[in-house]
Amino acid sequence: PSSDCVMAEQLCLSDSTCNATYRTLENCALAKTRLLSLDHDSRVRCLNAELDLGNSSLLHCKCHRRMKRQEHCLRIFWTVHSSMTDGYLNLETSPYENSANEEHWKTDYNKLAALVSGKNCSQLAGDATNPCLRATHICNLSKKCFRLRTDYASICTKGAASDDVCDRRKCHRGLRNFFEKVPEDFTKRILFCPCQDEFCGERRRKTIVPDCSFQYNTKPNCLWLLDSCLEDHICKSRLADFQQNCQPVDTSPDGCSLHNHAACLQAYMGMIGTPMTPNYVSNSSVEVSLWCTCENSGNQKEKCDQILGLFESNKCL
C-alpha cells in the first residue's frame, strides 16, 4: 500500500540497509539535477539501488496536493524514481495520491450556494448572464477564498502599471496557494465558468492575471519551458500528473485513456502556477495553450509540437 513519502523516508533512514540504498539514490538524483552525465557503471548502480528498495514503502509512496511539506515529499519521490526522468517527457507515474478521498471539500460551497439562493443579494442580481462574475461573488462570501484570491491578484498585478516586471515566481506561488488551499468547488467554478459572450470570456481568461503568470514579452520556445519545468520538483510532478490523467487516446470514444474528466481538470489546474502555466487563448473560446512557440526548434520540432499539443489538441482535456 502507498504511504506518505515523508513518513516512508523516516522509516527507511532508521534501517541501515535501506538508508545506504537511499543515500546512493540521493547522489544519483543530485547528479541529474546538476546535469552531470553519468557513466555506464554509475547508471547501473543507480538503477540497481532503485531495484534494491524492493517492497520498501519508499518505492510505493505518494504525496498529497494539500499537504504541508509537499515540496519535501516530492523531492523524496523523484529521488526514488529518478530513472523515470531519463527521457524527455518520460514521466510515467504521478507522485500524487488519487484525490477521490477529498470529497469533504465540497460541503463549504453547497452551504454558501444555499445562502446565496436564499438571499436577494444586490451584488448577485446582475450575475445571471455572467457565470464568471457570479462565481467570483460566491468566492467572496468565503473568507479563505476571498483572502487567497485577493493575495494572488495583488501580487500578480504589481508592476503592471509601470515598466517594472512583475515577480512571476511570487505570482505563481500565490496561484498555487489559491488552487491548493481553496475547496475545488470554488476554484473550478471560477476557472471553468461557462460563458456565452466575450465579456464573460475575457473575465475567465484573466482569472489567473495572465500578464504576469502566463505571458512573457516574447514567446519562448516550448522546449525551454519544459526544461524549466523539469528542474522544478513541483512543476515536474504536476506535469507527470497531467500526463497520467489527461492522456489522449485516439481509439477511445471520448479521446481519453482514463475516462476520468474530473481528474484531468484537476491535473490541468495543478499546472497553473508552474513554469508551464496554461491559459485560455482568447475571450471567445475555451481553447487553451501554453505561452510558447515551436519556431526555430531545429531537429527537435517534433518533440516541441508534442509538448504544445498536450494542451492545444488534447481531446481528453
Side-chain angles (χ1 to χ4, degrees):
S2 62
S3 64
D4 177 337
C5 289
V6 177
M7 292 172 60
E9 182 190 47
Q10 291 172 354
L11 282 172
C12 178
L13 295 180
S14 65
D15 176 89
S16 57
T17 306
C18 187
N19 191 325
T21 303
Y22 184 60
R23 296 306 181 195
T24 300
L25 287 170
E26 279 188 317
N27 291 332
C28 298
L30 187 63
K32 287 198 172 190
T33 304
R34 293 176 178 172
L35 301 177
L36 301 175
S37 56
L38 298 173
D39 58 35
H40 175 72
D41 289 346
S42 297
R43 284 201 300 272
V44 170
R45 187 166 62 251
C46 293
L47 195 56
N48 284 341
E50 193 173 315
L51 294 171
D52 284 345
L53 285 177
N55 290 322
S56 161
S57 56
L58 259 180
L59 198 60
H60 307 287
C61 72
K62 294 277 188 176
C63 302
H64 298 273
R65 288 173 186 81
R66 299 175 187 267
M67 69 188 297
K68 285 184 178 178
R69 300 179 68 191
Q70 184 182 164
E71 287 191 56
H72 178 64
C73 185
L74 295 173
R75 181 186 62 76
I76 296 167
F77 179 89
W78 291 114
T79 294
V80 174
H81 297 282
S82 61
S83 65
M84 279 169 47
T85 57
D86 274 345
Y88 116 95
L89 221 60
N90 186 27
L91 309 173
E92 298 163 359
T93 306
S94 170
Y96 288 111
E97 191 74 74
N98 190 310
S99 60
N101 57 356
E102 293 182 4
E103 291 293 316
H104 63 277
W105 287 105
K106 297 191 175 181
T107 53
D108 197 6
Y109 180 86
N110 292 332
K111 286 176 185 174
L112 285 173
L115 176 71
V116 170
S117 61
K119 278 187 176 183
N120 185 16
C121 202
S122 59
Q123 67 171 359
L124 294 165
D127 293 351
T129 57
N130 193 334
C132 292
L133 196 58
R134 182 178 178 82
T136 302
H137 285 156
I138 291 175
C139 169
N140 290 345
L141 291 173
S142 160
K143 287 181 181 177
K144 178 183 270 189
C145 191
F146 175 73
R147 176 173 55 82
L148 291 173
R149 183 174 169 273
T150 304
D151 283 353
Y152 86 71
S154 63
I155 295 166
C156 299
T157 49
K158 280 180 182 173
S162 65
D163 293 333
D164 296 334
V165 178
C166 71
D167 191 328
R168 184 173 277 110
R169 288 177 71 89
K170 280 188 177 178
C171 174
H172 281 169
R173 198 180 308 129
L175 279 166
R176 290 201 307 272
N177 249 343
F178 176 74
F179 285 108
E180 284 175 19
K181 294 181 178 177
V182 173
E184 280 183 17
D185 263 338
F186 290 96
T187 55
K188 278 185 178 175
R189 278 168 171 79
I190 287 176
L191 193 64
F192 304 124
C193 41
C195 289
Q196 301 297 321
D197 60 64
E198 292 194 6
F199 177 74
C200 176
E202 183 66 2
R203 187 177 186 90
R204 180 174 61 191
R205 194 182 69 81
K206 288 191 171 177
T207 295
I208 65 168
V209 197
D211 288 348
C212 183
S213 68
F214 178 65
Q215 294 171 210
Y216 295 79
N217 289 332
T218 56
K219 281 190 177 183
N221 187 281
C222 298
L223 294 168
W224 178 82
L225 272 194
L226 178 66
D227 287 342
S228 301
C229 183
L230 296 181
E231 289 170 8
D232 178 281
H233 284 307
I234 286 184
C235 188
K236 179 164 63 172
S237 301
R238 303 295 172 84
L239 181 59
D241 195 52
F242 181 75
Q243 283 186 278
Q244 179 175 295
N245 289 298
C246 299
Q247 192 62 250
V249 177
D250 289 336
T251 54
S252 173
D254 62 356
C256 188
S257 64
L258 292 183
H259 307 290
N260 189 345
H261 299 289
C264 179
L265 288 182
Q266 185 184 51
Y268 170 87
M269 287 164 64
M271 295 302 300
I272 296 171
T274 71
M276 287 182 73
T277 294
N279 195 28
Y280 296 99
V281 294
S282 75
N283 57 11
S284 57
S285 77
V286 290
E287 291 178 22
V288 297
S289 181
L290 298 173
W291 183 262
C292 63
T293 177
C294 284
E295 291 178 17
N296 305 317
S297 296
N299 59 3
Q300 291 191 299
K301 176 76 163 57
E302 190 177 338
K303 290 179 181 179
C304 188
D305 287 338
Q306 192 177 346
I307 297 160
L308 197 51
L310 276 174
F311 295 87
E312 284 191 346
S313 54
N314 187 329
K315 289 181 182 176
C316 180
L317 179 62

